[in-house]
Protein backbone atom coordinates (compact mmCIF):
# COMPACT_ATOMS: atom_id res chain seq x y z
CA UNK A 1 0.00 0.00 0.00
CA UNK A 2 1.28 3.46 -0.91
CA UNK A 3 2.59 5.54 1.99
CA UNK A 4 0.35 8.32 0.66
CA UNK A 5 -2.66 6.20 1.64
CA UNK A 6 -1.31 5.38 5.08
CA UNK A 7 -2.16 6.97 8.43
CA UNK A 8 0.26 7.76 11.23
CA UNK A 9 -1.33 8.21 14.64
CA UNK A 10 0.80 10.31 16.99
CA UNK A 11 -0.12 9.25 20.52
CA UNK A 12 -0.90 5.78 21.79
CA UNK A 13 -3.22 6.80 24.62
CA UNK A 14 -6.95 6.23 24.74
CA UNK A 15 -7.98 8.32 21.73
CA UNK A 16 -5.01 7.32 19.58
CA UNK A 17 -5.28 3.60 20.16
CA UNK A 18 -9.05 3.53 19.59
CA UNK A 19 -8.76 5.62 16.41
CA UNK A 20 -6.06 3.25 15.19
CA UNK A 21 -8.48 0.34 15.68
CA UNK A 22 -11.16 2.13 13.64
CA UNK A 23 -8.67 2.92 10.86
CA UNK A 24 -7.25 -0.61 10.81
CA UNK A 25 -10.71 -2.18 10.66
CA UNK A 26 -11.57 0.13 7.75
CA UNK A 27 -8.63 -1.31 5.80
CA UNK A 28 -6.14 1.52 6.19
CA UNK A 29 -2.45 0.97 6.86
CA UNK A 30 -1.78 2.53 10.28
CA UNK A 31 1.27 3.13 12.46
CA UNK A 32 1.02 4.41 16.03
CA UNK A 33 3.91 6.32 17.61
CA UNK A 34 3.92 6.87 21.38
CA UNK A 35 6.51 8.88 23.33
CA UNK A 36 6.17 6.79 26.52
CA UNK A 37 7.32 3.21 27.09
CA UNK A 38 4.86 0.40 26.52
CA UNK A 39 2.48 0.66 29.54
CA UNK A 40 1.91 -3.08 29.41
CA UNK A 41 5.56 -3.51 30.37
CA UNK A 42 6.39 -0.30 32.23
CA UNK A 43 3.14 0.22 34.17
CA UNK A 44 1.13 3.41 34.56
CA UNK A 45 2.57 6.72 35.69
CA UNK A 46 2.25 6.81 39.47
CA UNK A 47 -0.24 9.34 40.74
CA UNK A 48 -1.56 10.31 37.30
CA UNK A 49 -4.26 7.74 36.68
CA UNK A 50 -7.53 9.50 37.53
CA UNK A 51 -10.16 6.84 36.94
CA UNK A 52 -12.41 7.17 33.95
CA UNK A 53 -16.20 7.36 34.11
CA UNK A 54 -17.22 5.59 30.92
CA UNK A 55 -20.85 6.15 30.00
CA UNK A 56 -23.17 5.84 27.01
CA UNK A 57 -21.08 7.73 24.45
CA UNK A 58 -17.89 5.87 25.24
CA UNK A 59 -19.64 2.50 25.42
CA UNK A 60 -21.18 3.09 21.98
CA UNK A 61 -17.77 3.84 20.48
CA UNK A 62 -16.32 0.71 22.05
CA UNK A 63 -19.26 -1.40 20.91
CA UNK A 64 -18.62 -0.50 17.27
CA UNK A 65 -15.25 -2.29 17.46
CA UNK A 66 -16.43 -5.19 19.64
CA UNK A 67 -14.86 -4.02 22.92
CA UNK A 68 -17.86 -2.88 24.98
CA UNK A 69 -18.32 -6.09 26.93
CA UNK A 70 -14.61 -6.45 27.65
CA UNK A 71 -14.52 -2.95 29.12
CA UNK A 72 -17.66 -3.47 31.20
CA UNK A 73 -16.12 -6.67 32.57
CA UNK A 74 -13.32 -4.59 34.12
CA UNK A 75 -15.60 -1.75 35.30
CA UNK A 76 -17.47 -0.97 38.51
CA UNK A 77 -20.90 0.63 37.93
CA UNK A 78 -21.60 3.85 39.86
CA UNK A 79 -25.33 4.58 40.15
CA UNK A 80 -25.03 7.94 41.82
CA UNK A 81 -23.08 10.33 44.02
CA UNK A 82 -22.44 9.57 47.68
CA UNK A 83 -22.02 12.87 49.50
CA UNK A 84 -19.85 12.81 52.65
CA UNK A 85 -20.55 15.54 55.21
CA UNK A 86 -17.94 16.62 57.77
CA UNK A 87 -20.15 14.94 60.39
CA UNK A 88 -19.74 11.61 58.60
CA UNK A 89 -23.37 11.61 57.41
CA UNK A 90 -23.92 10.15 53.94
CA UNK A 91 -26.43 11.23 51.30
CA UNK A 92 -26.92 9.23 48.11
CA UNK A 93 -27.99 11.07 44.95
CA UNK A 94 -28.94 8.70 42.08
CA UNK A 95 -27.72 9.68 38.64
CA UNK A 96 -30.78 8.58 36.70
CA UNK A 97 -34.38 7.56 37.04
CA UNK A 98 -34.00 3.97 35.84
CA UNK A 99 -31.01 2.64 37.73
CA UNK A 100 -28.66 4.26 35.22
CA UNK A 101 -24.94 4.07 36.01
CA UNK A 102 -21.64 5.42 34.83
CA UNK A 103 -18.73 2.99 34.92
CA UNK A 104 -15.49 3.44 36.85
CA UNK A 105 -12.64 2.08 34.74
CA UNK A 106 -8.89 2.09 35.27
CA UNK A 107 -7.29 4.42 32.72
CA UNK A 108 -4.19 2.23 32.55
CA UNK A 109 -6.21 -0.97 32.21
CA UNK A 110 -8.35 0.47 29.42
CA UNK A 111 -5.30 1.81 27.57
CA UNK A 112 -3.67 -1.62 27.68
CA UNK A 113 -6.84 -3.29 26.40
CA UNK A 114 -7.03 -0.84 23.48
CA UNK A 115 -3.37 -1.30 22.58
CA UNK A 116 -3.83 -5.08 22.54
CA UNK A 117 -6.90 -4.74 20.34
CA UNK A 118 -5.09 -2.38 17.96
CA UNK A 119 -2.20 -4.80 17.49
CA UNK A 120 -4.59 -7.70 16.97
CA UNK A 121 -6.00 -6.04 13.86
CA UNK A 122 -2.66 -7.01 12.22
CA UNK A 123 -2.66 -3.59 10.57
CA UNK A 124 -1.53 -1.44 13.49
CA UNK A 125 2.08 -1.68 14.66
CA UNK A 126 2.74 0.44 17.74
CA UNK A 127 6.13 2.09 18.20
CA UNK A 128 6.97 3.13 21.78
CA UNK A 129 9.62 5.51 23.13
CA UNK A 130 9.22 7.69 20.05
CA UNK A 131 8.89 11.40 20.80
CA UNK A 132 7.37 13.53 18.06
CA UNK A 133 9.79 16.37 17.30
CA UNK A 134 8.93 17.96 13.96
CA UNK A 135 5.95 17.68 11.62
CA UNK A 136 6.27 18.79 8.00
CA UNK A 137 2.69 18.99 6.78
CA UNK A 138 3.57 19.98 3.21
CA UNK A 139 5.80 16.95 2.61
CA UNK A 140 3.99 14.52 4.88
CA UNK A 141 6.96 13.71 7.10
CA UNK A 142 7.36 13.40 10.86
CA UNK A 143 10.59 13.35 12.81
CA UNK A 144 10.66 11.17 15.93
CA UNK A 145 13.40 10.89 18.55
CA UNK A 146 14.21 7.89 20.73
CA UNK A 147 15.32 8.20 24.40
CA UNK A 148 18.92 8.36 23.15
CA UNK A 149 17.95 11.22 20.79
CA UNK A 150 18.40 9.06 17.73
CA UNK A 151 16.12 10.58 15.11
CA UNK A 152 13.91 8.82 12.60
CA UNK A 153 12.03 10.53 9.78
CA UNK A 154 8.97 8.77 8.42
CA UNK A 155 6.71 9.57 5.48
CA UNK A 156 2.96 9.29 5.75
CA UNK A 157 -0.20 10.11 3.91
CA UNK A 158 -2.14 11.51 6.86
CA UNK A 159 -1.33 12.38 10.45
CA UNK A 160 -3.75 11.93 13.33
CA UNK A 161 -2.69 14.10 16.26
CA UNK A 162 -3.92 12.23 19.32
CA UNK A 163 -1.05 13.26 21.57
CA UNK A 164 -2.99 14.89 24.37
CA UNK A 165 -3.53 18.32 25.87
CA UNK A 166 0.09 19.34 25.24
CA UNK A 167 0.11 17.99 21.69
CA UNK A 168 3.25 18.39 19.60
CA UNK A 169 1.23 18.00 16.41
CA UNK A 170 -0.98 20.90 17.47
CA UNK A 171 2.08 22.97 18.43
CA UNK A 172 3.40 22.49 14.90
CA UNK A 173 0.02 23.58 13.51
CA UNK A 174 0.22 26.74 15.62
CA UNK A 175 3.17 27.91 13.51
CA UNK A 176 0.86 28.19 10.54
CA UNK A 177 -1.07 31.37 9.79
CA UNK A 178 -4.61 31.88 11.09
CA UNK A 179 -4.44 29.18 13.73
CA UNK A 180 -6.44 30.18 16.82
CA UNK A 181 -5.47 28.70 20.17
CA UNK A 182 -6.28 29.26 23.82
CA UNK A 183 -5.49 27.45 27.04
CA UNK A 184 -6.99 28.28 30.41
CA UNK A 185 -5.72 26.80 33.66
CA UNK A 186 -7.82 26.48 36.78
CA UNK A 187 -6.46 27.97 39.98
CA UNK A 188 -6.95 24.44 41.32
CA UNK A 189 -4.78 21.39 40.78
CA UNK A 190 -5.22 17.74 41.66
CA UNK A 191 -3.38 15.00 43.49
CA UNK A 192 -4.14 11.30 43.58
CA UNK A 193 -4.49 9.33 46.83
CA UNK A 194 -5.51 5.78 47.65
CA UNK A 195 -7.92 3.70 49.74
CA UNK A 196 -6.83 0.03 49.75
CA UNK A 197 -9.25 -2.92 49.74
CA UNK A 198 -10.62 -4.19 53.04
CA UNK A 199 -8.71 -6.92 54.84
CA UNK A 200 -9.47 -10.14 53.03
CA UNK A 201 -10.73 -8.25 49.98
CA UNK A 202 -13.84 -6.23 49.32
CA UNK A 203 -14.66 -2.52 49.43
CA UNK A 204 -14.39 -0.23 52.46
CA UNK A 205 -17.18 2.02 51.12
CA UNK A 206 -20.18 1.57 48.86
CA UNK A 207 -18.62 0.50 45.54
CA UNK A 208 -21.56 1.57 43.38
CA UNK A 209 -21.18 5.30 43.93
CA UNK A 210 -18.88 8.15 43.08
CA UNK A 211 -17.93 9.44 46.52
CA UNK A 212 -17.64 13.21 46.99
CA UNK A 213 -16.46 15.22 49.97
CA UNK A 214 -17.67 18.73 48.93
CA UNK A 215 -16.20 21.48 51.07
CA UNK A 216 -17.04 24.70 49.26
CA UNK A 217 -14.27 25.82 46.94
CA UNK A 218 -12.42 22.50 47.14
CA UNK A 219 -13.23 18.79 47.38
CA UNK A 220 -12.10 15.17 47.35
CA UNK A 221 -13.62 12.39 45.26
CA UNK A 222 -13.14 8.61 45.22
CA UNK A 223 -13.91 6.14 42.43
CA UNK A 224 -14.03 2.36 42.95
CA UNK A 225 -11.57 -0.04 41.35
CA UNK A 226 -12.28 -3.62 40.37
CA UNK A 227 -9.87 -4.96 43.02
CA UNK A 228 -11.80 -3.40 45.93
CA UNK A 229 -9.66 -0.27 46.25
CA UNK A 230 -10.64 3.34 45.58
CA UNK A 231 -8.69 5.93 43.63
CA UNK A 232 -9.09 9.23 45.49
CA UNK A 233 -8.40 12.63 44.01
CA UNK A 234 -8.20 15.93 45.85
CA UNK A 235 -8.96 19.12 43.93
CA UNK A 236 -7.54 22.09 45.80
CA UNK A 237 -6.28 25.55 44.99
CA UNK A 238 -2.54 25.79 44.48
CA UNK A 239 -2.32 28.81 46.78
CA UNK A 240 -4.36 30.51 49.49
CA UNK A 241 -6.78 29.01 52.00
CA UNK A 242 -7.27 25.23 51.91
CA UNK A 243 -4.52 24.87 49.32
CA UNK A 244 -1.59 22.65 48.46
CA UNK A 245 0.71 25.49 49.47
CA UNK A 246 -0.29 25.23 53.13
CA UNK A 247 0.63 21.59 53.81
CA UNK A 248 4.37 21.22 54.17
CA UNK A 249 4.83 18.15 56.38
CA UNK A 250 3.10 14.91 57.35
CA UNK A 251 1.61 16.33 60.55
CA UNK A 252 -0.02 19.14 58.56
CA UNK A 253 -1.54 16.60 56.18
CA UNK A 254 -2.98 14.37 58.91
CA UNK A 255 -4.41 17.32 60.85
CA UNK A 256 -6.01 18.88 57.77
CA UNK A 257 -7.55 15.63 56.53
CA UNK A 258 -8.79 14.70 60.01
CA UNK A 259 -10.56 18.05 60.24
CA UNK A 260 -11.81 18.17 56.65
CA UNK A 261 -12.44 14.55 55.60
CA UNK A 262 -12.70 12.80 58.99
CA UNK A 263 -14.47 9.63 57.82
CA UNK A 264 -11.89 9.05 55.06
CA UNK A 265 -8.73 9.20 57.17
CA UNK A 266 -9.15 5.76 58.84
CA UNK A 267 -9.47 4.24 55.35
CA UNK A 268 -6.18 5.72 54.07
CA UNK A 269 -3.23 4.10 55.85
CA UNK A 270 -0.68 5.54 53.40
CA UNK A 271 -2.23 9.02 53.27
CA UNK A 272 0.84 11.06 54.22
CA UNK A 273 3.22 9.01 52.06
CA UNK A 274 0.91 9.20 49.04
CA UNK A 275 0.43 12.93 49.51
CA UNK A 276 4.12 13.69 49.26
CA UNK A 277 5.13 11.01 46.75
CA UNK A 278 2.41 11.66 44.16
CA UNK A 279 2.65 14.76 41.96
CA UNK A 280 0.39 17.79 42.10
CA UNK A 281 -0.91 18.29 38.58
CA UNK A 282 -2.66 21.12 36.77
CA UNK A 283 -6.09 21.29 35.12
CA UNK A 284 -6.35 22.92 31.70
CA UNK A 285 -8.99 23.62 29.08
CA UNK A 286 -7.73 23.81 25.48
CA UNK A 287 -9.62 25.25 22.52
CA UNK A 288 -8.22 25.66 19.02
CA UNK A 289 -9.12 25.98 15.37
CA UNK A 290 -8.69 24.71 12.73
CA UNK A 291 -8.31 21.08 13.75
CA UNK A 292 -6.78 20.02 10.45
CA UNK A 293 -4.29 20.91 7.73
CA UNK A 294 -6.03 20.07 4.48
CA UNK A 295 -6.04 16.31 4.13
CA UNK A 296 -2.59 15.98 5.67
CA UNK A 297 -3.36 16.10 9.39
CA UNK A 298 -6.21 16.17 11.88
CA UNK A 299 -6.46 16.56 15.66
CA UNK A 300 -8.80 14.65 17.94
CA UNK A 301 -9.40 14.09 21.63
CA UNK A 302 -7.48 16.26 24.08
CA UNK A 303 -5.18 17.51 21.32
CA UNK A 304 -8.18 19.29 19.81
CA UNK A 305 -10.27 20.04 22.89
CA UNK A 306 -8.87 19.20 26.33
CA UNK A 307 -11.43 19.55 29.11
CA UNK A 308 -11.27 19.40 32.90
CA UNK A 309 -12.51 16.09 34.34
CA UNK A 310 -15.56 17.21 36.32
CA UNK A 311 -18.28 15.95 33.98
CA UNK A 312 -16.59 12.60 33.43
CA UNK A 313 -16.71 13.16 29.67
CA UNK A 314 -13.06 13.54 28.61
CA UNK A 315 -12.60 9.96 27.44
CA UNK A 316 -16.22 9.68 26.29
CA UNK A 317 -15.82 12.77 24.12
CA UNK A 318 -12.53 11.51 22.67
CA UNK A 319 -14.11 8.15 21.85
CA UNK A 320 -17.06 9.93 20.24
CA UNK A 321 -14.51 11.83 18.10
CA UNK A 322 -13.27 8.47 16.81
CA UNK A 323 -16.78 7.41 15.80
CA UNK A 324 -17.42 10.65 13.92
CA UNK A 325 -14.02 10.79 12.21
CA UNK A 326 -14.46 7.19 11.06
CA UNK A 327 -17.88 8.10 9.63
CA UNK A 328 -16.52 11.18 7.88
CA UNK A 329 -13.71 9.19 6.25
CA UNK A 330 -16.20 6.60 5.00
CA UNK A 331 -18.56 9.29 3.71
CA UNK A 332 -15.79 10.92 1.67
CA UNK A 333 -13.61 8.00 0.51
CA UNK A 334 -10.38 9.18 -1.06
CA UNK A 335 -10.93 12.81 -0.01
CA UNK A 336 -9.34 13.22 3.39
CA UNK A 337 -9.52 17.01 3.22
CA UNK A 338 -13.29 16.88 2.89
CA UNK A 339 -13.52 14.28 5.66
CA UNK A 340 -11.37 16.29 8.07
CA UNK A 341 -13.28 19.50 7.29
CA UNK A 342 -16.62 17.83 7.91
CA UNK A 343 -15.32 16.31 11.14
CA UNK A 344 -14.38 19.70 12.56
CA UNK A 345 -17.46 21.50 11.29
CA UNK A 346 -19.70 18.88 12.87
CA UNK A 347 -17.83 18.47 16.13
CA UNK A 348 -16.31 21.80 17.18
CA UNK A 349 -19.35 23.43 18.80
CA UNK A 350 -20.10 20.27 20.76
CA UNK A 351 -16.50 20.11 22.02
CA UNK A 352 -16.80 23.72 23.18
CA UNK A 353 -20.08 22.90 24.90
CA UNK A 354 -18.69 20.01 26.96
CA UNK A 355 -15.70 22.15 27.93
CA UNK A 356 -18.09 24.72 29.40
CA UNK A 357 -20.18 22.04 31.10
CA UNK A 358 -17.09 20.49 32.70
CA UNK A 359 -16.03 23.83 34.17
CA UNK A 360 -19.52 24.45 35.50
CA UNK A 361 -19.79 21.00 37.04
CA UNK A 362 -16.68 21.64 39.16
CA UNK A 363 -18.58 24.39 40.96
CA UNK A 364 -21.60 22.11 41.30
CA UNK A 365 -19.61 19.21 42.76
CA UNK A 366 -17.58 21.20 45.27
CA UNK A 367 -20.19 23.82 46.28
CA UNK A 368 -23.77 22.85 45.43
CA UNK A 369 -24.38 19.11 45.76
CA UNK A 370 -25.17 19.43 49.47
CA UNK A 371 -27.46 22.46 49.00
CA UNK A 372 -31.18 21.91 49.78
CA UNK A 373 -32.09 24.14 46.82
CA UNK A 374 -29.94 22.04 44.48
CA UNK A 375 -31.42 18.80 45.79
CA UNK A 376 -34.98 20.13 45.45
CA UNK A 377 -34.37 21.16 41.83
CA UNK A 378 -32.95 17.72 41.03
CA UNK A 379 -36.01 16.03 42.56
CA UNK A 380 -38.35 18.23 40.52
CA UNK A 381 -36.41 17.44 37.33
CA UNK A 382 -36.56 13.70 37.98
CA UNK A 383 -40.28 13.85 38.79
CA UNK A 384 -41.09 15.66 35.55
CA UNK A 385 -38.79 13.32 33.61
CA UNK A 386 -40.61 10.29 35.05
CA UNK A 387 -43.94 11.77 33.91
CA UNK A 388 -42.72 12.96 30.49
CA UNK A 389 -39.65 10.76 29.79
CA UNK A 390 -39.51 11.53 26.09
CA UNK A 391 -40.06 15.27 26.43
CA UNK A 392 -38.29 16.49 29.56
CA UNK A 393 -34.80 15.08 30.09
CA UNK A 394 -32.39 16.40 32.77
CA UNK A 395 -29.14 17.78 31.37
CA UNK A 396 -27.00 15.22 33.21
CA UNK A 397 -29.08 12.42 31.72
CA UNK A 398 -28.68 13.82 28.22
CA UNK A 399 -24.92 14.17 28.61
CA UNK A 400 -24.16 10.87 30.36
CA UNK A 401 -26.94 8.51 29.26
CA UNK A 402 -27.69 9.54 25.70
CA UNK A 403 -25.86 10.39 22.50
CA UNK A 404 -27.59 13.73 22.03
CA UNK A 405 -24.79 16.03 20.80
CA UNK A 406 -23.45 18.14 23.66
CA UNK A 407 -24.47 21.57 22.36
CA UNK A 408 -27.94 20.30 21.48
CA UNK A 409 -28.30 18.93 25.01
CA UNK A 410 -27.32 22.30 26.47
CA UNK A 411 -29.89 24.11 24.30
CA UNK A 412 -32.63 21.65 25.22
CA UNK A 413 -31.78 22.01 28.91
CA UNK A 414 -31.91 25.81 28.59
CA UNK A 415 -35.43 25.63 27.15
CA UNK A 416 -36.48 23.20 29.88
CA UNK A 417 -35.19 25.57 32.57
CA UNK A 418 -37.21 28.40 31.05
CA UNK A 419 -40.27 26.16 31.11
CA UNK A 420 -39.69 25.27 34.76
CA UNK A 421 -39.31 28.92 35.72
CA UNK A 422 -42.45 29.87 33.81
CA UNK A 423 -44.39 26.98 35.34
CA UNK A 424 -43.16 27.96 38.79
CA UNK A 425 -44.22 31.57 38.24
CA UNK A 426 -47.67 30.50 37.01
CA UNK A 427 -48.04 28.19 40.02
CA UNK A 428 -47.06 31.02 42.37
CA UNK A 429 -49.55 33.41 40.76
CA UNK A 430 -52.24 30.75 41.02
CA UNK A 431 -51.45 30.18 44.69
CA UNK A 432 -51.58 33.92 45.41
CA UNK A 433 -54.92 34.14 43.62
CA UNK A 434 -56.29 31.34 45.78
CA UNK A 435 -55.03 33.02 48.93
CA UNK A 436 -56.61 36.33 47.93
CA UNK A 437 -59.90 34.64 47.05
CA UNK A 438 -59.95 32.75 50.35
CA UNK A 439 -59.22 35.96 52.28
CA UNK A 440 -62.11 37.74 50.57
CA UNK A 441 -64.43 34.84 51.30
CA UNK A 442 -63.49 34.78 54.97
CA UNK A 443 -63.74 38.55 55.17
Amino acid sequence: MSRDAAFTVVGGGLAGSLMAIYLGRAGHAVDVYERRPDPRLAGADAGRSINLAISTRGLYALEQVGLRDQVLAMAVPMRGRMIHATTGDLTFQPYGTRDQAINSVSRAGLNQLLLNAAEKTARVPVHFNQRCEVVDFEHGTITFASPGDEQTVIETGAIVGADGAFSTVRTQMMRRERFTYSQAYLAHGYKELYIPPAAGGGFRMDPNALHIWPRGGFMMIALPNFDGSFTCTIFWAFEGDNSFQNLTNEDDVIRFFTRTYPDAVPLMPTLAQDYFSNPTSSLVTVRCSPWHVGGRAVLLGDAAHAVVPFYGQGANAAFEDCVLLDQCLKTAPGDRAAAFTRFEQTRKRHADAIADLALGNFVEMRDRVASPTFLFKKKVEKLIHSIFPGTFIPLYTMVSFSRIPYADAVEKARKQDLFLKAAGLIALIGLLALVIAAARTLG
Side-chain angles (χ1 to χ4, degrees):
M1 184 176 291
S2 164
R3 291 306 301 172
D4 191 55
F7 283 80
T8 297
V9 178
V10 180
L14 300 176
S17 52
L18 182 61
M19 193 65 233
I21 295 170
Y22 271 94
L23 292 169
R25 289 169 64 96
H28 299 287
V30 190
D31 281 89
V32 178
Y33 286 80
E34 168 57 46
R35 65 178 177 80
R36 297 167 300 178
D38 189 337
R40 295 165 295 184
L41 303 175
D45 293 340
R48 296 183 183 273
S49 57
I50 290 180
N51 282 41
L52 305 169
I54 299 298
S55 50
T56 298
R57 298 169 196 272
L59 291 175
Y60 177 84
L62 293 163
E63 185 175 31
Q64 305 315 297
V65 293
L67 296 176
R68 179 180 185 273
D69 291 344
Q70 291 183 56
V71 172
L72 286 177
M74 57 188 279
V76 181
M78 301 181 294
R79 297 186 175 88
R81 297 166 169 169
M82 186 69 78
I83 308 304
H84 294 246
T86 52
T87 59
D89 293 337
L90 302 176
T91 304
F92 183 71
Q93 301 174 4
Y95 281 131
T97 57
R98 292 180 293 276
D99 200 31
Q100 292 163 320
I102 59 178
N103 301 279
S104 177
V105 180
S106 159
R107 177 184 294 272
L110 179 56
N111 199 176
Q112 291 174 27
L113 183 151
L114 292 173
L115 288 169
N116 288 335
E119 291 182 336
K120 284 179 181 177
T121 65
R123 287 182 174 271
V124 187
V126 184
H127 312 272
F128 295 98
N129 294 304
Q130 296 294 314
R131 186 178 69 253
C132 180
E133 297 272 288
V134 179
V135 181
D136 185 333
F137 298 108
E138 281 67 32
H139 297 94
T141 63
I142 313 175
T143 302
F144 292 98
S146 67
D149 286 332
E150 180 180 347
Q151 294 192 337
T152 303
V153 179
I154 64 109
E155 296 181 4
T156 186
I159 301 158
V160 178
D163 48 341
F166 304 102
S167 166
T168 300
V169 177
R170 186 188 65 232
T171 299
Q172 299 286 297
M173 286 186 180
M174 290 168 63
R175 298 180 177 180
R176 301 173 60 84
E177 291 186 0
R178 300 173 64 191
F179 188 93
T180 302
Y181 170 79
S182 71
Q183 64 179 29
Y185 284 93
L186 289 184
H188 292 69
Y190 72 90
K191 184 186 290 286
E192 182 181 301
L193 303 171
Y194 182 66
I195 294 176
F203 293 92
R204 294 172 180 260
M205 301 186 297
D206 185 341
N208 298 124
L210 189 158
H211 294 260
I212 307 177
W213 289 258
R215 296 298 182 259
F218 66 108
M219 68 177 180
M220 180 169 75
I221 67 172
L223 277 72
N225 297 309
F226 200 71
D227 65 357
S229 66
F230 284 83
T231 300
C232 302
T233 310
I234 50 176
F235 296 96
W236 298 351
F238 283 102
E239 300 173 344
D241 295 337
N242 304 308
S243 70
F244 289 108
Q245 178 188 50
N246 292 339
L247 304 187
T248 59
N249 58 60
E250 292 190 1
D251 289 341
D252 289 343
V253 170
I254 298 301
R255 277 195 298 268
F256 183 82
F257 273 77
T258 299
R259 183 176 70 250
T260 310
Y261 314 115
D263 60 330
V265 173
L267 309 179
M268 307 171 78
T270 58
L271 169 59
Q273 299 94 303
D274 293 342
Y275 184 90
F276 288 105
S277 62
N278 290 341
T280 302
S281 302
S282 59
L283 296 160
V284 66
T285 299
V286 169
R287 305 175 199 255
C288 67
S289 181
W291 289 358
H292 65 99
V293 177
R296 282 291 193 182
V298 65
L299 303 173
L300 83 162
D302 284 355
H305 51 78
V307 301
V308 293
F310 303 111
Y311 223 111
Q313 286 296 305
N316 290 290
F319 287 175
E320 202 168 52
D321 284 356
C322 297
V323 174
L324 179 59
L325 182 54
D326 178 64
Q327 291 173 349
C328 290
L329 288 166
K330 289 176 178 175
T331 302
D335 190 349
R336 292 191 302 262
F340 294 168
T341 298
R342 183 179 180 187
F343 170 65
E344 180 180 359
Q345 289 175 343
T346 304
R347 189 65 172 159
K348 178 71 165 68
R349 71 187 187 96
H350 302 300
D352 289 340
I354 192 57
D356 292 336
L357 286 174
L359 290 167
N361 214 44
F362 181 35
V363 178
E364 177 175 306
M365 291 175 71
R366 77 190 192 198
D367 297 351
R368 297 176 185 162
V369 290
S371 161
T373 303
F374 173 84
L375 295 175
F376 177 74
K377 181 184 177 184
K378 290 297 180 183
K379 287 180 180 178
V380 171
E381 288 180 346
K382 288 182 180 179
L383 175 62
I384 298 175
H385 178 51
S386 67
I387 299 171
F388 306 104
T391 304
F392 187 97
I393 309 172
L395 177 59
Y396 189 90
T397 299
M398 287 189 282
V399 171
S400 296
F401 303 120
S402 86
R403 295 181 56 237
I404 298 172
Y406 293 121
D408 296 348
V410 171
E411 178 60 18
K412 181 176 176 64
R414 185 188 67 81
K415 292 178 180 178
Q416 291 176 168
D417 282 344
L418 290 175
F419 168 79
L420 283 179
K421 290 175 182 177
L425 180 60
I426 291 171
L428 179 60
I429 293 172
L431 179 60
L432 288 173
L434 288 173
V435 170
I436 292 170
R440 288 175 176 173
T441 301
L442 292 174

